[in-house]
Amino acid sequence: MAKVALEAINGFNLFGDKGAAWSVIYVDVDAHNRNRTIFDCVLPRESNSKNTDACLIPTVSWPAFAIHDEELRNRTMAKAVRKLQGQYGFKRFLRDGYGTVLEEKNRKYYKPTEIKTFDGIECEWPLFFIFMVIDGVFKGSADQVEKYQNLLQPLLAETSDGVVVPKYYYISQECIEAERAKPGSQIRIPSMEEETGHLFLLGQAVYMVSKLLVDGLLHITELDVIKRHLPAAARPRHSIRYSFFQGRTSDLVVQIVLIAESVRLQQMLATYGILSQTPHQIEPIEVWSPNELTKAFGFLGVNKKLGLSGRPMRPVGGLGTSKLYYVCGHLVVCYPLLFEVSDFYLSQDMNLVIDDVKSDLVFLAKRWKLSGRPTFCMLVREENIRGPNTREYLDLLAEFKTGSCGGVNVRLGRLQTLISAACVENLDFLQSVPDTYTFKYVDELSMKSSFRSLTDVSRLAKLDDEPIDIQPLKFMSSYDIVQRLYHTDNMFAQTQILSVLLEREGLDYRIEDSTIKDRLDRLLRKAGVHQNWHVVRFCAGLLKKMVDSLAPSLTAMLVRGKQATIGVFGHEEEVIDKPMPPFKIKAILYSTTGPYDVSDIALQQEMILNIGKYISTSPELFEGILKIRIGWIIEAMRRELCIIEDKDVSIYSMPPSEVRKLLLITLARFGGQVERTPLQTRQLDGAFNRVPRDFYDRVWRILEKTPGGLKVCGYHLPQQPTLSDMTMYEMNFSLLVEHMLSNITDPAYRQIMVELFMVVSTLLDRNPEVQFLSAVDMDKLVQQGFDEFQKDQSRLEVQEKQDDMLTFFNTAPNVKRGTTSYLAKAVVNNLMQGAVRSSQDEFCSIS
């Protein structure tokens, strides 16, 4: 509902023609895009705790029409009908105690395990039959209208004042057990609003609307005056001063403007036939950095009387920077965060920049829903053409001239000629900003010399960079350490020496005319130019650099129903299960990662960005992964790197673009360049926390047969109140299972544990009469399976018994004498030893 309201109210002046700049509603287009992604990813579920809810019917249909993906809409409606529809209406949601005779009306909250008592006796609400009638009218489905009218008619109460819609129908006390034994068999009792005189007004109002529609006295366009039922592109436009949501067009063109930071760079690009402009040539239009735009939006909503401080200082995303803005009479174009070089180092890897440019264009083409075309402003700097990937960068710029880039329609041109088709926003709220406050714009660099081609660009000399042993430095005085720094040309060694000084003296300690911070900043830039990525990451960690778009990337994981953890593999991790501001994320990064490896702080930020990118563009790569553990994924990539290179290679020395490619290879389980052994496959799947499709449902069924609960690595998952407080398909139960498995520290062992759960589930499903007597120690079952494996190895292979399970982990599962057979044998042995009992008088049969 909030998503729909934001779409409808964007650009609306609360006081109409008599309103002022301060009464206009602005919607953050990037935040709205995240809201839409959350909604699309949650459906057809209602939330983590509810598999479905009848409220989704008026959400995806009238009155909200919150989604226009027909397939997803139909799945959502079908699930609500399948799970909630009864003879007397729809249940609001499963285990809903409202209105039942068992609910205590005087208490505000339910007690633990109490909601299970409402299972199967939830009240049914005729109101949702009426919503289905209206939905049928909007769809033009006469059969649906007739079906739900026939279901509704017997439920209405006829009174002298007219028809009354009962609020709900409930099961009487004496019929509860019979209803639970045979759902739908008992006659329900209406809530009797006609007798109390307190009518259910929502039901009455919706019923009247449905009658007017069905009888032809009201047209759907009169009911839905802003035409939410139509695709966004077909809705009327009410204002031309502010942007509005219109839906994506099939022939969308992304406009591209190239801004060269200097005249000599523009001249060099021109020799290759690449059209660009300098900041002076587009005047009076100004070029802003995304940080300046963030400052401008910080004044949005400021109201001292109401105590409102304005929009939080969070970065403006790719959709927001693709609009042009009128700011106090000046037209402003903004380049995206991708080209901001003030803080992080990723823009120094041109291969990564090229990949991100293409990804951003695809994102714009897919997610742009505003009026006008998106304008992608690309700031070209001289350092972009000094690295080893200059040719690839120029090829990208030349590709824009063809009119297509990565399957996206693009138009490269001068900014002045593209304005008429662009999306332009008026930031009228900035009229109240004090005149003393000024915004900074990008100015043109003045260069005395010039170069006409790449042959004139100075090339970089290769530098020697090897780490040194810093232990002796810790026993030297600061003066002697500084002297050592003066006599060291090695960038890596300089960084190590500065790290010792930093720990002892702090960032503001001066060495001649500069501080340690200044020297580290220079080293970071120099190392980036020379592509020494280990030094770059080391310096970034020491300087506590943070990438601007970290919070949106984490949010991209959360909105797709995932959890994330930050921390080093094998050490304590911090779970992130809700969006956080950047300063909190920074605190978590440095507290969980900093004590172990400073370079890992920067690498984990790269991983968060990369995962956020892939989960947004290729969510199928994360199928079966509920908890994204950053440190574990880095460990998986290290193992994959050893498989590919067949030698020990430091991931810290790899360019960010290669790290991203390695992540993709590791995620694509069978897309690697070499064949993986069973051990390697288990290590990778375990590190990614990947499980089979129906794994959590199987654990639920095991728990139903285990009164004593389940034990994994000392963690006990009890049967009660787990089964009473949760339902089988809800996300919260899956997260609880993941929390139990997170106690395992070895990725391969974790995957063996997942296989064991699948084996136990299969055996219990085939023998429904079997039930465990006490708590099931899953670690004990793995050990027993390993012992049986050892016996066969000793007998067949004449091998001595070992405590190390690596050989067991390196055995394929579903083959003769595979791990599955040994795990199954361990479970059966427990059955024979009386660890389980039959719920019937007959013997159980293992099949």
Side-chain angles (χ1 to χ4, degrees):
M1 292 291 187
K3 166 188 174 291
V4 173
L6 289 172
E7 291 176 352
I9 205 170
N10 183 42
F12 181 70
N13 196 312
L14 297 176
F15 296 101
D17 296 336
K18 298 181 180 180
W22 48 264
S23 58
V24 176
I25 301 295
Y26 289 85
V27 173
D28 185 334
V29 62
D30 292 287
H32 175 266
N33 179 65
R34 290 193 291 274
N35 294 340
R36 188 158 56 88
T37 303
I38 292 172
F39 187 57
D40 291 352
C41 293
V42 166
L43 292 178
R45 290 183 295 111
E46 189 270 343
S47 64
N48 283 355
S49 61
K50 295 178 186 174
N51 189 247
T52 187
D53 193 303
C55 72
L56 291 174
I57 296 174
T59 302
V60 303
S61 182
W62 181 83
F65 299 104
I67 190 168
H68 288 90
D69 182 333
E70 197 63 25
E71 189 271 337
L72 185 55
R73 179 193 180 280
N74 291 339
R75 281 172 53 208
T76 303
M77 296 286 283
K79 190 173 190 179
V81 170
R82 186 175 67 253
K83 297 276 188 181
L84 303 176
Q85 183 176 322
Q87 299 177 37
Y88 298 84
F90 280 70
K91 301 173 182 178
R92 294 195 306 177
F93 52 87
L94 299 178
R95 295 185 175 180
D96 175 21
Y98 182 85
T100 63
V101 295
L102 298 182
E103 183 189 45
E104 292 188 27
K105 305 296 189 294
N106 298 325
R107 279 194 289 111
K108 185 178 290 188
Y109 304 105
Y110 292 135
K111 296 177 181 179
T113 77
E114 187 177 2
I115 63 171
K116 187 173 176 60
T117 61
F118 310 127
D119 199 0
I121 61 166
E122 303 92 338
C123 293
E124 295 181 359
W125 297 58
L127 166 68
F128 296 102
F129 280 170
I130 307 174
F131 276 120
M132 294 300 289
V133 170
I134 297 175
D135 177 66
V137 174
F138 272 94
K139 291 196 303 185
S141 174
D143 292 341
Q144 179 175 322
V145 172
E146 182 180 4
K147 173 185 175 181
Y148 284 98
Q149 276 188 311
N150 293 337
L151 290 171
L152 176 67
Q153 194 58 43
L155 308 178
L156 303 176
E158 298 286 348
T159 69
S160 57
D161 294 325
V163 174
V164 173
V165 180
K167 190 174 185 179
Y168 54 79
Y169 279 78
Y170 66 95
I171 295 289
S172 61
Q173 181 76 51
E174 58 273 13
C175 296
I176 287 178
E177 294 306 320
E179 177 67 17
R180 284 175 173 163
K182 188 177 181 182
S185 62
Q186 303 302 301
I187 296 176
R188 291 174 176 259
I189 303 171
S191 48
M192 298 296 184
E193 278 76 20
E194 71 276 10
E195 295 183 3
T196 62
H198 300 291
L199 296 181
F200 179 41
L201 296 182
L202 175 61
Q204 294 297 128
V206 176
Y207 175 70
M208 292 178 187
V209 169
S210 70
K211 290 295 291 181
L212 290 171
L213 283 173
V214 173
D215 293 343
L217 301 175
L218 183 67
H219 193 267
I220 57 174
T221 56
E222 297 173 303
L223 179 61
D224 180 23
V225 292
I226 60 174
K227 297 179 173 57
R228 286 287 314 172
H229 68 284
L230 297 175
R235 298 173 196 158
R237 180 174 182 175
H238 300 289
S239 170
I240 60 174
R241 184 167 182 78
Y242 306 103
S243 62
F244 66 97
F245 294 95
Q246 69 165 15
R248 178 178 179 269
T249 58
S250 58
D251 57 347
L252 179 71
V253 175
V254 178
Q255 302 183 146
I256 298 179
V257 177
L258 300 183
I259 304 295
E261 68 174 354
S262 67
V263 173
R264 71 175 186 176
L265 177 58
Q266 182 195 30
Q267 292 171 347
M268 195 280 289
L269 294 175
T271 62
Y272 293 91
I274 299 171
L275 173 66
S276 63
Q277 295 174 276
T278 64
H280 285 173
Q281 290 173 342
I282 66 169
E283 290 178 349
I285 305 172
E286 298 177 356
V287 180
W288 280 16
S289 75
N291 290 333
E292 288 301 303
L293 191 59
T294 299
K295 293 177 186 177
F297 273 110
F299 291 97
L300 176 61
V302 173
N303 190 306
K304 293 182 180 179
K305 292 182 180 179
L306 297 177
L308 302 178
S309 59
R311 179 185 183 272
M313 299 298 285
R314 57 173 178 261
V316 177
L319 297 174
T321 56
S322 295
K323 295 193 284 186
L324 273 63
Y325 296 92
Y326 273 112
V327 180
C328 301
H330 296 281
L331 188 59
V332 170
V333 62
C334 180
Y335 59 85
L337 276 170
L338 171 62
F339 305 112
E340 186 63 80
V341 297
S342 59
D343 280 330
F344 219 56
Y345 56 83
L346 294 180
S347 60
Q348 294 176 293
D349 182 356
M350 290 316 301
N351 276 338
L352 191 75
V353 170
I354 293 168
D355 185 47
D356 280 342
V357 167
K358 292 181 178 179
S359 297
D360 285 359
L361 293 177
V362 171
F363 172 79
L364 283 174
K366 182 179 180 182
R367 288 291 182 174
W368 186 260
K369 307 288 183 181
L370 297 173
S371 56
R373 292 175 175 176
T375 303
F376 189 78
C377 177
M378 193 166 173
L379 185 63
V380 185
R381 305 178 189 272
E382 290 196 356
E383 63 185 40
N384 299 149
I385 61 170
R386 294 183 183 275
N389 306 113
T390 302
R391 289 289 179 184
E392 291 84 349
Y393 186 69
L394 292 176
D395 288 343
L396 172 68
L397 302 185
E399 188 178 355
F400 294 153
K401 298 191 300 179
T402 66
S404 178
C405 181
V408 177
N409 297 325
V410 299
R411 182 190 175 192
L412 178 65
R414 298 184 183 276
L415 181 57
Q416 291 86 342
T417 63
L418 301 178
I419 293 174
S420 59
C423 175
V424 182
E425 190 76 84
N426 288 271
L427 302 187
D428 293 336
F429 60 86
L430 290 176
Q431 294 175 4
S432 59
V433 175
D435 295 335
T436 56
Y437 191 94
T438 58
F439 296 100
K440 298 178 182 178
Y441 56 87
V442 177
D443 204 356
E444 185 175 306
L445 296 182
S446 57
M447 299 292 180
K448 295 181 180 179
S449 60
S450 64
F451 41 77
R452 305 290 297 182
S453 69
L454 289 178
T455 57
D456 298 329
V457 180
S458 58
R459 312 317 293 173
L460 300 172
K462 184 173 178 60
L463 300 179
D464 180 38
D465 296 305
E466 292 294 333
I468 61 172
D469 182 10
I470 63 171
Q471 290 303 317
L473 297 177
K474 296 181 179 180
F475 303 99
M476 296 168 60
S477 67
S478 296
Y479 174 82
D480 291 336
I481 295 174
V482 171
Q483 296 305 309
R484 177 73 180 272
L485 178 66
Y486 288 153
H487 295 87
T488 303
D489 295 328
N490 184 328
M491 278 196 299
F492 205 126
Q494 288 177 356
T495 308
Q496 290 177 291
I497 293 170
L498 287 172
S499 72
V500 176
L501 281 172
L502 171 63
E503 186 177 358
R504 183 182 297 180
E505 307 290 351
L507 279 173
D508 296 327
Y509 181 72
R510 299 193 71 84
I511 303 173
E512 291 186 342
D513 60 341
S514 60
T515 63
I516 291 178
K517 180 181 183 301
D518 296 332
R519 287 180 174 266
L520 285 172
D521 272 322
R522 289 198 297 266
L523 267 176
L524 189 152
R525 299 288 295 169
K526 183 179 178 181
V529 171
H530 287 269
Q531 307 286 284
N532 189 324
W533 298 107
H534 199 161
V535 174
V536 168
R537 293 183 175 102
F538 196 7
C539 290
L542 292 174
L543 291 167
K544 296 189 175 181
K545 295 284 187 180
M546 286 288 291
V547 67
D548 287 329
S549 53
L550 206 60
S553 295
L554 279 169
T555 303
M557 304 178 207
L558 299 176
V559 301
R560 284 164 176 81
K562 313 291 185 183
Q563 282 189 345
T565 68
I566 294 176
V568 176
F569 174 77
H571 297 279
E572 186 178 353
E573 300 168 282
E574 185 80 20
V575 177
I576 297 179
D577 55 6
K578 59 181 179 294
M580 288 184 177
F583 73 90
K584 286 189 177 180
I585 299 172
K586 182 177 183 178
I588 291 173
L589 266 170
Y590 281 87
S591 63
T592 59
T593 308
Y596 305 104
D597 195 325
V598 174
S599 299
D600 212 53
I601 299 171
L603 182 62
Q604 294 224 5
Q605 294 185 64
E606 288 182 45
M607 293 305 303
I608 292 171
L609 291 179
N610 293 335
I611 293 170
K613 166 190 168 67
Y614 283 133
I615 204 169
S616 299
T617 57
S618 305
E620 68 278 359
L621 292 173
F622 296 85
E623 186 175 346
I625 302 174
L626 185 59
K627 182 177 285 188
I628 298 173
R629 304 170 74 177
I630 306 299
W632 280 55
I633 291 178
I634 292 175
E635 179 64 19
M637 293 168 62
R638 285 195 178 99
R639 295 173 188 262
E640 182 72 3
L641 189 59
C642 291
I643 297 171
I644 295 172
E645 299 291 340
D646 198 24
K647 59 182 179 181
D648 189 16
V649 179
S650 174
I651 195 172
Y652 299 126
S653 301
M654 298 175 63
S657 56
E658 293 299 318
V659 171
R660 177 178 289 179
K661 289 178 183 177
L662 178 61
L663 172 63
L664 183 59
I665 291 172
T666 313
L667 271 171
R669 304 165 66 186
F670 307 110
Q673 300 173 357
V674 294
E675 187 175 347
R676 296 167 180 160
T677 65
L679 172 62
Q680 292 166 343
T681 300
R682 286 190 174 104
Q683 287 174 334
L684 294 178
D685 283 345
F688 276 110
N689 287 210
R690 190 179 268 121
V691 298
R693 182 184 295 272
D694 59 345
F695 174 72
Y696 303 111
D697 299 345
R698 286 173 174 264
V699 176
W700 177 276
R701 295 200 294 269
I702 294 172
L703 201 57
E704 287 180 322
K705 298 290 189 71
T706 315
L710 301 168
K711 291 182 179 179
V712 174
C713 290
Y715 181 90
H716 180 226
L717 178 62
Q719 186 190 64
Q720 296 297 342
T722 305
L723 299 186
S724 297
D725 288 348
M726 299 180 180
T727 57
M728 181 177 184
Y729 302 105
E730 71 178 62
M731 184 69 73
N732 286 341
F733 176 72
S734 302
L735 293 172
L736 185 62
V737 174
E738 278 298 327
H739 179 65
M740 173 179 69
L741 294 176
S742 65
N743 289 272
I744 301 173
T745 57
D746 181 3
Y749 185 78
R750 184 191 194 279
Q751 205 58 24
I752 284 287
M753 185 63 71
V754 169
E755 293 173 25
L756 175 59
F757 273 109
M758 299 296 287
V759 169
V760 174
S761 170
T762 300
L763 289 172
L764 293 180
D765 287 347
R766 294 179 179 178
N767 298 273
E769 72 282 359
V770 171
Q771 181 176 332
F772 285 89
L773 282 171
S774 57
V776 179
D777 190 333
M778 302 298 286
D779 300 288
K780 183 178 178 181
L781 291 178
V782 172
Q783 183 62 48
Q784 290 174 354
F786 175 62
D787 291 341
E788 292 295 331
F789 172 79
Q790 291 274 66
K791 290 178 184 178
D792 278 0
Q793 290 292 300
S794 300
R795 180 172 56 86
L796 300 173
E797 306 291 339
V798 195
Q799 294 181 0
E800 294 184 4
K801 289 187 177 181
Q802 301 176 355
D803 294 332
D804 191 350
M805 289 189 177
L806 283 180
T807 308
F808 185 56
F809 294 163
N810 202 25
T811 303
N814 300 316
V815 297
K816 185 178 181 181
R817 296 192 182 90
T819 53
T820 300
S821 61
Y822 292 109
L823 294 175
K825 189 173 183 180
V827 177
V828 173
N829 286 342
N830 275 264
L831 169 66
M832 298 304 179
Q833 293 169 7
V836 297
R837 67 177 173 84
S838 171
S839 59
Q840 300 178 2
D841 294 334
E842 60 187 36
F843 290 103
C844 66
S845 59
I846 304 299
S847 56

